[in-house]
């Protein structure tokens, strides 16, 4: 294994979602200065789902024209577009135009759509490209993908996004504001501290990260020591030939071969193999893997993030920041664990999925009870919420990596479908939560300084 290739694979993975993740963490500084206000998150949710036109096109190309599409030109295009879009955002994000009878942030919304296309399309192009490298580098890529959420969050913390000081609302009031006992009312107000550097600098940082991703991709293709580790062209040709063979078998409705599953001891001995990938897994197992993949990504990418503030803020601003930061750390940690313990057991996958879902249910329950969740007046409640978020992200991130490792062994086409199902699960999760959060307002936010709940 080459340390250089590991570093390049990690930097390449960071570029997968760093732009959109950066947009989300910067919202507290963007929202007060644009006409859309706090409707912007709702607009971004819709924009990201519309951007799935990119993955849809790539997936259909692989399905109906197997072997005809080379990922490398597509990756050069989308990463270059990401560099340009984030650079333009740094200078145009506050610019507005009249559309109809209202003022809108046309530049911000348009460039956000381009970034969404870039990041969504990375799911169905970056993973298949990793087939050109040795298997051990796929886990390193997933570590980079996890860091694509952690790095913008850490930079936003350094920037001072969302840092709150709770001050007595009556501290500077005149005597008419003093109550009859001679003291003040004790009401606290949240005062958000000014940022340490501007939104423009943050977007320039994101543009730099995308440029680093582009540079890493160039080196993965052309650096001599990395090229030596590429799989031979014959292997890639065999992979494309296998994809075409799979399509022809499906069209001709050939029955699956009845053979013992010696390579996969978890399945029954006489269970028929599927025509998916190398045929290692049965049809039921393939369906199980993809259902778990869609479910896990729906929870981690859409459902629970949409209620994170509702679940954490009632316990205080410190608990909220700890939960978001530690959860972001848990993602690459899970990928790092999977590098040394890549357990491919479908039984373990199911157990971890159920475990992570259980912790996710606790988070959803506390969000539903906001602004008065359980143990809201106790430090134990805040500690439980932080720990729950960490375990939730840790377990389900490990599941995602293991599924990626499994599908990587099944070939190029399997990784394309892996990316497509990731986007499908995320889209279904976002579509299910959008009306609950943004339309019907079923969740009520807690106050970072004043939590008025019965003890």
């Amino acid at each position: 294994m080459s340390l250089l290739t590991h570093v390049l694979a990690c930097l390449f993975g960071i570029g997968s979602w760093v732009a959109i993740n950066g947009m989300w963490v910067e919202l507290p500084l963007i929202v007060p200065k644009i006409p859309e206000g706090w409707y912007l998150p709702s607009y971004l949710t819709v924009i990201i789902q519309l951007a799935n036109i990119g993955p849809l096109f790539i997936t259909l190309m692989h399905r109906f024209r197997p072997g005809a599409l080379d990922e490398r030109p597509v990756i050069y295009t989308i990463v270059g577009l990401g560099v340009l879009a984030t650079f333009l955002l740094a200078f145009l994000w506050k610019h507005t135009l009249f559309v109809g009878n209202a003022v809108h942030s046309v530049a911000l919304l348009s460039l956000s759509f381009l970034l969404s296309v870039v990041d969504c399309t990375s799911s169905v192009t970056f993973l298949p490209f990793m087939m050109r490298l040795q298997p051990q580098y796929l886990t390193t890529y997933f570590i980079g993908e996890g860091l694509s959420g952690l790095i913008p969050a850490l930079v936003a913390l350094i920037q001072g996004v969302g840092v709150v000081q709770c001050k007595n609302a009556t501290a500077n009031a005149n005597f008419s504001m003093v109550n009859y006992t001679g003291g003040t009312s004790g009401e606290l107000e949240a005062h958000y501290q000014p940022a340490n550097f501007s939104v423009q600098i943050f977007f320039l940082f994101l543009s730099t990260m995308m440029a680093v991703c582009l540079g890493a991709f160039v080196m993965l293709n052309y650096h001599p020591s990395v090229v030596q580790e590429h799989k031979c062209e014959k292997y890639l040709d065999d992979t494309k030939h296998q994809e075409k063979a799979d399509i022809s078998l499906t069209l001709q409705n050939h029955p699956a071969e009845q053979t013992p599953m010696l390579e996969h001891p978890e399945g029954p001995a006489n269970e028929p193999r599927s025509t998916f990938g190398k045929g290692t897994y049965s049809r039921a197992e393939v369906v199980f893997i993809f259902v778990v993949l869609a479910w896990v990504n729906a929870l981690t990418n859409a459902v629970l993030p949409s209620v994170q503030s509702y679940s954490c803020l009632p316990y205080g601003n410190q608990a909220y920041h700890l939960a978001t930061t530690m959860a972001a750390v848990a993602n690459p940690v899970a990928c790092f664990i999977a590098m040394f313990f890549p357990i491919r057991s479908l039984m373990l996958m199911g157990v971890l999925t159920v475990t992570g879902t259980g912790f996710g249910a606790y988070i959803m329950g506390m969000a539903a009870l906001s602004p008065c969740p359980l143990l809201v007046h106790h430090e134990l409640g805040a500690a439980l919420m932080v720990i729950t978020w960490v375990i939730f992200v840790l377990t389900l991130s490990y599941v995602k990596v293991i599924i990626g490792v499994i599908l990587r062994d099944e070939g190029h086409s399997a990784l394309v479908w892996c990316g497509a199902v990731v986007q499908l699960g995320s889209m279904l999760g976002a579509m299910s939560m959008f009306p609950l959060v943004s339309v019907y307002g079923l969740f009520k936010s807690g106050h970072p300084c004043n939590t008025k709940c019965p003890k």
Side-chain angles (χ1 to χ4, degrees), residues 247-287:
I247 298 297
S248 63
L249 283 173
T250 303
L251 294 176
Q252 295 174 22
N253 294 319
H254 282 181
E257 182 183 358
Q258 302 285 335
T259 56
M261 295 184 65
L262 299 178
E263 296 178 17
H264 189 62
E266 293 176 276
N270 296 321
E271 190 172 1
R273 295 186 184 188
S274 69
T275 57
F276 178 80
K278 297 178 181 178
T280 309
Y281 296 91
S282 68
R283 294 187 186 92
E285 289 169 331
V286 170
V287 170

Short mmCIF file of all heavy atoms in Angstrom, two decimals, residues 247-287:
data_model
loop_
_atom_site.label_atom_id
_atom_site.label_comp_id
_atom_site.label_asym_id
_atom_site.label_seq_id
_atom_site.Cartn_x
_atom_site.Cartn_y
_atom_site.Cartn_z
N ILE A 247 -26.46 -7.51 -18.45
CA ILE A 247 -27.61 -6.93 -19.15
C ILE A 247 -28.22 -7.96 -20.09
O ILE A 247 -29.44 -8.14 -20.15
CB ILE A 247 -27.19 -5.68 -19.94
CG1 ILE A 247 -26.66 -4.61 -18.97
CG2 ILE A 247 -28.34 -5.14 -20.75
CD1 ILE A 247 -27.68 -4.11 -17.99
N SER A 248 -27.37 -8.67 -20.83
CA SER A 248 -27.89 -9.63 -21.79
C SER A 248 -28.59 -10.78 -21.10
O SER A 248 -29.62 -11.27 -21.56
CB SER A 248 -26.75 -10.17 -22.67
OG SER A 248 -25.80 -10.86 -21.87
N LEU A 249 -28.06 -11.20 -19.94
CA LEU A 249 -28.73 -12.27 -19.20
C LEU A 249 -30.10 -11.82 -18.72
O LEU A 249 -31.06 -12.59 -18.74
CB LEU A 249 -27.86 -12.67 -17.99
CG LEU A 249 -26.64 -13.56 -18.29
CD1 LEU A 249 -25.80 -13.74 -17.03
CD2 LEU A 249 -27.08 -14.92 -18.82
N THR A 250 -30.18 -10.58 -18.31
CA THR A 250 -31.46 -10.07 -17.84
C THR A 250 -32.47 -10.00 -18.98
O THR A 250 -33.64 -10.38 -18.83
CB THR A 250 -31.29 -8.67 -17.23
OG1 THR A 250 -30.33 -8.75 -16.16
CG2 THR A 250 -32.60 -8.13 -16.68
N LEU A 251 -32.04 -9.51 -20.14
CA LEU A 251 -32.94 -9.37 -21.28
C LEU A 251 -33.41 -10.72 -21.80
O LEU A 251 -34.55 -10.86 -22.27
CB LEU A 251 -32.25 -8.59 -22.40
CG LEU A 251 -31.91 -7.13 -22.07
CD1 LEU A 251 -31.14 -6.50 -23.22
CD2 LEU A 251 -33.18 -6.34 -21.80
N GLN A 252 -32.55 -11.74 -21.73
CA GLN A 252 -32.91 -13.06 -22.24
C GLN A 252 -33.65 -13.90 -21.22
O GLN A 252 -34.06 -15.02 -21.50
CB GLN A 252 -31.64 -13.79 -22.69
CG GLN A 252 -30.94 -13.12 -23.87
CD GLN A 252 -29.61 -13.78 -24.18
OE1 GLN A 252 -29.40 -14.93 -23.81
NE2 GLN A 252 -28.73 -13.05 -24.85
N ASN A 253 -33.80 -13.34 -19.98
CA ASN A 253 -34.51 -14.05 -18.93
C ASN A 253 -33.92 -15.44 -18.66
O ASN A 253 -34.65 -16.42 -18.49
CB ASN A 253 -36.01 -14.21 -19.27
CG ASN A 253 -36.71 -12.87 -19.30
OD1 ASN A 253 -36.46 -12.02 -18.46
ND2 ASN A 253 -37.58 -12.68 -20.30
N HIS A 254 -32.61 -15.52 -18.64
CA HIS A 254 -31.99 -16.78 -18.31
C HIS A 254 -32.19 -17.08 -16.84
O HIS A 254 -32.06 -16.20 -16.01
CB HIS A 254 -30.48 -16.72 -18.59
CG HIS A 254 -30.20 -16.87 -20.06
ND1 HIS A 254 -28.93 -16.87 -20.56
CD2 HIS A 254 -31.02 -17.00 -21.14
CE1 HIS A 254 -28.96 -17.01 -21.88
NE2 HIS A 254 -30.23 -17.07 -22.23
N PRO A 255 -32.51 -18.30 -16.46
CA PRO A 255 -32.66 -18.63 -15.06
C PRO A 255 -31.31 -18.58 -14.35
O PRO A 255 -30.27 -18.82 -14.96
CB PRO A 255 -33.20 -20.07 -15.08
CG PRO A 255 -32.75 -20.62 -16.39
CD PRO A 255 -32.76 -19.47 -17.35
N ALA A 256 -31.32 -18.21 -13.06
CA ALA A 256 -30.09 -18.14 -12.30
C ALA A 256 -29.52 -19.53 -12.10
O ALA A 256 -30.23 -20.52 -11.96
CB ALA A 256 -30.36 -17.49 -10.93
N GLU A 257 -28.19 -19.59 -12.05
CA GLU A 257 -27.51 -20.87 -11.90
C GLU A 257 -27.70 -21.41 -10.49
O GLU A 257 -27.55 -20.70 -9.50
CB GLU A 257 -26.01 -20.65 -12.16
CG GLU A 257 -25.20 -21.94 -12.09
CD GLU A 257 -23.72 -21.66 -12.28
OE1 GLU A 257 -23.39 -20.49 -12.51
OE2 GLU A 257 -22.93 -22.59 -12.20
N GLN A 258 -28.07 -22.69 -10.41
CA GLN A 258 -28.27 -23.33 -9.12
C GLN A 258 -26.95 -23.93 -8.65
O GLN A 258 -26.57 -25.01 -9.08
CB GLN A 258 -29.34 -24.44 -9.24
CG GLN A 258 -30.69 -23.95 -9.75
CD GLN A 258 -31.44 -23.19 -8.70
OE1 GLN A 258 -31.21 -23.38 -7.52
NE2 GLN A 258 -32.33 -22.31 -9.12
N THR A 259 -26.23 -23.22 -7.80
CA THR A 259 -24.95 -23.71 -7.33
C THR A 259 -24.81 -23.42 -5.85
O THR A 259 -25.38 -22.45 -5.34
CB THR A 259 -23.78 -23.00 -8.06
OG1 THR A 259 -23.94 -21.60 -7.90
CG2 THR A 259 -23.74 -23.36 -9.53
N PRO A 260 -24.07 -24.25 -5.14
CA PRO A 260 -23.82 -23.96 -3.72
C PRO A 260 -23.06 -22.66 -3.56
O PRO A 260 -22.17 -22.36 -4.34
CB PRO A 260 -22.98 -25.16 -3.27
CG PRO A 260 -23.23 -26.22 -4.29
CD PRO A 260 -23.46 -25.50 -5.58
N MET A 261 -23.38 -21.88 -2.54
CA MET A 261 -22.75 -20.58 -2.32
C MET A 261 -21.53 -20.77 -1.43
O MET A 261 -21.53 -20.44 -0.26
CB MET A 261 -23.75 -19.60 -1.69
CG MET A 261 -24.90 -19.28 -2.61
SD MET A 261 -25.99 -18.07 -1.92
CE MET A 261 -24.92 -16.66 -1.85
N LEU A 262 -20.48 -21.32 -2.02
CA LEU A 262 -19.28 -21.60 -1.26
C LEU A 262 -18.58 -20.32 -0.82
O LEU A 262 -17.95 -20.27 0.23
CB LEU A 262 -18.31 -22.45 -2.11
CG LEU A 262 -18.86 -23.81 -2.54
CD1 LEU A 262 -17.83 -24.51 -3.41
CD2 LEU A 262 -19.20 -24.68 -1.33
N GLU A 263 -18.69 -19.25 -1.64
CA GLU A 263 -17.99 -18.01 -1.32
C GLU A 263 -18.72 -17.20 -0.26
O GLU A 263 -18.15 -16.32 0.34
CB GLU A 263 -17.85 -17.15 -2.58
CG GLU A 263 -16.99 -17.79 -3.64
CD GLU A 263 -16.92 -16.92 -4.87
OE1 GLU A 263 -17.25 -15.73 -4.77
OE2 GLU A 263 -16.55 -17.42 -5.93
N HIS A 264 -19.99 -17.51 -0.05
CA HIS A 264 -20.78 -16.70 0.86
C HIS A 264 -21.50 -17.62 1.84
O HIS A 264 -22.61 -18.07 1.61
CB HIS A 264 -21.79 -15.85 0.08
CG HIS A 264 -22.49 -14.83 0.92
ND1 HIS A 264 -21.82 -13.82 1.56
CD2 HIS A 264 -23.79 -14.69 1.25
CE1 HIS A 264 -22.67 -13.08 2.22
NE2 HIS A 264 -23.87 -13.59 2.05
N PRO A 265 -20.88 -17.95 2.98
CA PRO A 265 -21.41 -18.95 3.87
C PRO A 265 -22.70 -18.55 4.55
O PRO A 265 -23.35 -19.39 5.16
CB PRO A 265 -20.29 -19.09 4.91
CG PRO A 265 -19.56 -17.80 4.87
CD PRO A 265 -19.63 -17.36 3.45
N GLU A 266 -23.12 -17.28 4.44
CA GLU A 266 -24.32 -16.88 5.18
C GLU A 266 -25.60 -17.36 4.49
O GLU A 266 -26.63 -17.49 5.11
CB GLU A 266 -24.35 -15.36 5.29
CG GLU A 266 -23.24 -14.82 6.17
CD GLU A 266 -23.25 -13.31 6.18
OE1 GLU A 266 -22.68 -12.72 5.27
OE2 GLU A 266 -23.83 -12.74 7.12
N GLY A 267 -25.58 -17.60 3.21
CA GLY A 267 -26.77 -18.00 2.50
C GLY A 267 -26.96 -19.49 2.53
O GLY A 267 -26.03 -20.27 2.72
N PRO A 268 -28.20 -19.99 2.32
CA PRO A 268 -28.45 -21.42 2.26
C PRO A 268 -27.68 -22.06 1.11
O PRO A 268 -27.42 -21.44 0.09
CB PRO A 268 -29.97 -21.48 2.01
CG PRO A 268 -30.49 -20.16 2.48
CD PRO A 268 -29.41 -19.17 2.21
N ALA A 269 -27.33 -23.31 1.29
CA ALA A 269 -26.45 -23.99 0.33
C ALA A 269 -27.05 -24.06 -1.06
O ALA A 269 -26.34 -23.97 -2.05
CB ALA A 269 -26.13 -25.38 0.85
N ASN A 270 -28.37 -24.24 -1.17
CA ASN A 270 -28.99 -24.42 -2.48
C ASN A 270 -29.72 -23.18 -2.98
O ASN A 270 -30.52 -23.26 -3.89
CB ASN A 270 -29.97 -25.60 -2.42
CG ASN A 270 -29.26 -26.92 -2.14
OD1 ASN A 270 -28.17 -27.15 -2.66
ND2 ASN A 270 -29.88 -27.76 -1.33
N GLU A 271 -29.47 -22.05 -2.36
CA GLU A 271 -30.16 -20.82 -2.77
C GLU A 271 -29.56 -20.32 -4.08
O GLU A 271 -28.34 -20.27 -4.23
CB GLU A 271 -30.00 -19.76 -1.68
CG GLU A 271 -30.88 -18.55 -1.92
CD GLU A 271 -30.84 -17.61 -0.74
OE1 GLU A 271 -30.12 -17.91 0.22
OE2 GLU A 271 -31.51 -16.57 -0.81
N PRO A 272 -30.40 -19.96 -5.06
CA PRO A 272 -29.87 -19.53 -6.35
C PRO A 272 -29.15 -18.20 -6.25
O PRO A 272 -29.56 -17.31 -5.52
CB PRO A 272 -31.13 -19.40 -7.21
CG PRO A 272 -32.23 -19.16 -6.25
CD PRO A 272 -31.88 -19.93 -5.02
N ARG A 273 -28.08 -18.07 -7.01
CA ARG A 273 -27.37 -16.80 -7.08
C ARG A 273 -28.16 -15.82 -7.94
O ARG A 273 -28.92 -16.21 -8.82
CB ARG A 273 -25.98 -17.00 -7.69
CG ARG A 273 -25.04 -17.85 -6.87
CD ARG A 273 -23.67 -17.84 -7.51
NE ARG A 273 -22.75 -18.71 -6.81
CZ ARG A 273 -21.45 -18.77 -7.08
NH1 ARG A 273 -20.94 -18.01 -8.02
NH2 ARG A 273 -20.67 -19.59 -6.40
N SER A 274 -27.93 -14.55 -7.69
CA SER A 274 -28.54 -13.54 -8.54
C SER A 274 -27.60 -13.23 -9.69
O SER A 274 -26.44 -13.64 -9.71
CB SER A 274 -28.80 -12.26 -7.72
OG SER A 274 -27.58 -11.64 -7.39
N THR A 275 -28.11 -12.51 -10.69
CA THR A 275 -27.27 -12.07 -11.81
C THR A 275 -26.60 -10.74 -11.50
O THR A 275 -25.99 -10.15 -12.37
CB THR A 275 -28.12 -11.94 -13.08
OG1 THR A 275 -29.19 -11.02 -12.84
CG2 THR A 275 -28.68 -13.29 -13.49
N PHE A 276 -26.74 -10.27 -10.26
CA PHE A 276 -26.16 -8.99 -9.87
C PHE A 276 -24.67 -9.17 -9.59
O PHE A 276 -24.27 -10.05 -8.83
CB PHE A 276 -26.86 -8.45 -8.61
CG PHE A 276 -26.29 -7.15 -8.12
CD1 PHE A 276 -26.63 -5.95 -8.72
CD2 PHE A 276 -25.39 -7.13 -7.05
CE1 PHE A 276 -26.11 -4.76 -8.27
CE2 PHE A 276 -24.87 -5.93 -6.60
CZ PHE A 276 -25.23 -4.75 -7.21
N GLY A 277 -23.84 -8.31 -10.19
CA GLY A 277 -22.41 -8.36 -9.94
C GLY A 277 -21.81 -9.69 -10.31
O GLY A 277 -22.01 -10.21 -11.41
N LYS A 278 -21.07 -10.26 -9.39
CA LYS A 278 -20.42 -11.56 -9.61
C LYS A 278 -21.29 -12.73 -9.19
O LYS A 278 -20.87 -13.87 -9.26
CB LYS A 278 -19.09 -11.60 -8.84
CG LYS A 278 -18.07 -10.57 -9.30
CD LYS A 278 -16.81 -10.64 -8.46
CE LYS A 278 -15.79 -9.60 -8.90
NZ LYS A 278 -14.57 -9.62 -8.06
N GLY A 279 -22.51 -12.44 -8.74
CA GLY A 279 -23.40 -13.51 -8.33
C GLY A 279 -23.08 -14.07 -6.97
O GLY A 279 -23.52 -15.18 -6.64
N THR A 280 -22.34 -13.34 -6.14
CA THR A 280 -21.97 -13.84 -4.81
C THR A 280 -23.17 -13.93 -3.90
O THR A 280 -23.25 -14.83 -3.06
CB THR A 280 -20.92 -12.90 -4.19
OG1 THR A 280 -19.85 -12.69 -5.10
CG2 THR A 280 -20.38 -13.47 -2.89
N TYR A 281 -24.11 -13.01 -4.06
CA TYR A 281 -25.26 -12.93 -3.16
C TYR A 281 -26.55 -13.32 -3.89
O TYR A 281 -26.69 -13.12 -5.09
CB TYR A 281 -25.39 -11.51 -2.59
CG TYR A 281 -24.22 -11.10 -1.74
CD1 TYR A 281 -23.12 -10.46 -2.31
CD2 TYR A 281 -24.18 -11.37 -0.39
CE1 TYR A 281 -22.03 -10.09 -1.55
CE2 TYR A 281 -23.11 -11.02 0.39
CZ TYR A 281 -22.03 -10.37 -0.20
OH TYR A 281 -20.94 -10.02 0.56
N SER A 282 -27.47 -13.86 -3.11
CA SER A 282 -28.77 -14.23 -3.67
C SER A 282 -29.59 -12.98 -3.93
O SER A 282 -29.25 -11.87 -3.50
CB SER A 282 -29.52 -15.14 -2.70
OG SER A 282 -29.89 -14.41 -1.53
N ARG A 283 -30.71 -13.15 -4.64
CA ARG A 283 -31.57 -12.00 -4.92
C ARG A 283 -32.06 -11.35 -3.63
O ARG A 283 -32.08 -10.12 -3.51
CB ARG A 283 -32.77 -12.44 -5.76
CG ARG A 283 -32.42 -12.93 -7.16
CD ARG A 283 -33.69 -13.18 -7.97
NE ARG A 283 -33.37 -13.76 -9.26
CZ ARG A 283 -33.34 -15.06 -9.50
NH1 ARG A 283 -33.59 -15.91 -8.52
NH2 ARG A 283 -33.03 -15.51 -10.70
N ALA A 284 -32.46 -12.17 -2.68
CA ALA A 284 -32.98 -11.63 -1.41
C ALA A 284 -31.89 -10.85 -0.68
O ALA A 284 -32.16 -9.79 -0.08
CB ALA A 284 -33.49 -12.77 -0.53
N GLU A 285 -30.66 -11.35 -0.71
CA GLU A 285 -29.58 -10.66 -0.04
C GLU A 285 -29.24 -9.34 -0.73
O GLU A 285 -28.94 -8.33 -0.06
CB GLU A 285 -28.34 -11.57 0.01
CG GLU A 285 -28.50 -12.73 0.98
CD GLU A 285 -27.40 -13.76 0.83
OE1 GLU A 285 -26.86 -13.91 -0.29
OE2 GLU A 285 -27.08 -14.43 1.83
N VAL A 286 -29.29 -9.32 -2.06
CA VAL A 286 -29.04 -8.07 -2.79
C VAL A 286 -30.11 -7.03 -2.44
O VAL A 286 -29.80 -5.85 -2.20
CB VAL A 286 -29.00 -8.33 -4.31
CG1 VAL A 286 -28.98 -7.01 -5.08
CG2 VAL A 286 -27.79 -9.17 -4.69
N VAL A 287 -31.37 -7.46 -2.41
CA VAL A 287 -32.46 -6.55 -2.04
C VAL A 287 -32.25 -6.04 -0.62
O VAL A 287 -32.41 -4.84 -0.33
CB VAL A 287 -33.82 -7.25 -2.17
CG1 VAL A 287 -34.93 -6.40 -1.57
CG2 VAL A 287 -34.12 -7.56 -3.63
#
